[in-house]
Amino acid sequence: MMMIAALMVATLSASAQNEVGQITLKPTVGLNIASMTKTTYSKVRPGLIAGVEAEYGVAENFGLSAGLFYSMQGVKQEYNESGTYYGMSFSGGAKATYKLDYLNIPILAQYYIIKGFAVKAGIQPGFCVSKKYKYEVSASVANESEIEKGTGKIQEGVKSFQFAIPVGISYEYESFVLDARYNIYATKAVKDADSRHSVFSITLGYKFAL
């Protein structure tokens, strides 16, 4: 029985995911679940990730890939407070979204454990291409309410270059590839704080040989 199981595993492992020397392209689109560490009242900022990856088949079960992705990152913050002041009830809050978008270049090693299933890890330099924010402040005192909204560009503080270590898994079926990755950031997101990006991505791509 053990010999049969071993033969089945060996057969699956021998199923080529990439022909040796073959190059494939994979247009990809998906969802980022982004946040930033060490920020107060923080919430995730959902965003788009889209791009293309090329993979080279080094061996039947091993490939090297490089890609270019537009990645919407950043963080949301939300704060609310209520109480009484000199006998009058009051409530108020503030919301802010920091929209930090990057061009990321993931370079990954991919090992196919069984047919269709791969684990991957590598490095990822990234370059900030958009730094914006929007906010909303609301206040209500004695049944009188006021709301202020605004948008703008972040002029300074955000670092232009980021370096991350992406790790993940993927499953391929009929040329469609479902991929899940988490990016571990080695660099700070802003100059004067220890906050770093935290990004989990789920993408769907279509893989074809050149």
Side-chain angles (χ1 to χ4, degrees), residues 4 20 40-41 48 80 84 91 107 141 147 158 184 197 200 207:
I4 294 173
V20 177
T40 55
Y41 310 109
L48 173 74
N80 293 286
T84 57
S91 63
I107 302 168
V141 179
I147 298 177
V158 176
I184 304 167
H197 288 284
F200 177 71
K207 187 175 180 180

Side-chain angles (χ1 to χ4, degrees), residues 146-196:
E146 186 175 340
I147 298 177
E148 180 182 344
K149 298 180 180 181
T151 61
K153 292 184 178 181
I154 301 173
Q155 300 297 331
E156 57 183 32
V158 176
K159 289 191 172 184
S160 297
F161 175 77
Q162 292 288 291
F163 183 83
I165 301 171
V167 294
I169 57 175
S170 65
Y171 181 73
E172 178 182 346
Y173 179 76
E174 297 290 343
S175 298
F176 289 95
V177 183
L178 183 64
D179 190 297
R181 298 182 194 176
Y182 182 71
N183 297 314
I184 304 167
Y185 276 83
T187 50
K188 297 178 181 179
V190 293
K191 295 178 181 178
D192 299 323
D194 195 29
S195 182
R196 300 167 194 258

Side-chain angles (χ1 to χ4, degrees), residues 69-169:
F69 287 88
Y70 189 87
S71 179
M72 298 173 67
Q73 299 173 202
V75 68
K76 288 185 176 183
Q77 291 181 302
E78 184 173 339
Y79 172 76
N80 293 286
E81 186 176 358
S82 61
T84 57
Y85 182 73
Y86 284 100
M88 295 185 296
S89 62
F90 73 88
S91 63
K95 298 178 182 179
T97 302
Y98 298 93
K99 303 178 178 181
L100 307 177
D101 298 348
Y102 293 83
L103 282 179
N104 291 331
I105 306 171
I107 302 168
L108 303 174
Q110 309 197 79
Y111 180 72
Y112 293 88
I113 299 175
I114 59 174
K115 184 178 181 180
F117 182 79
V119 294
K120 56 193 69 183
I123 59 173
Q124 177 179 277
F127 303 89
C128 190
V129 294
S130 179
K131 298 178 284 186
K132 298 179 181 180
Y133 69 88
K134 70 175 183 179
Y135 71 89
E136 178 182 310
V137 179
S138 61
S140 177
V141 179
N143 297 321
E144 293 187 9
S145 300
E146 186 175 340
I147 298 177
E148 180 182 344
K149 298 180 180 181
T151 61
K153 292 184 178 181
I154 301 173
Q155 300 297 331
E156 57 183 32
V158 176
K159 289 191 172 184
S160 297
F161 175 77
Q162 292 288 291
F163 183 83
I165 301 171
V167 294
I169 57 175

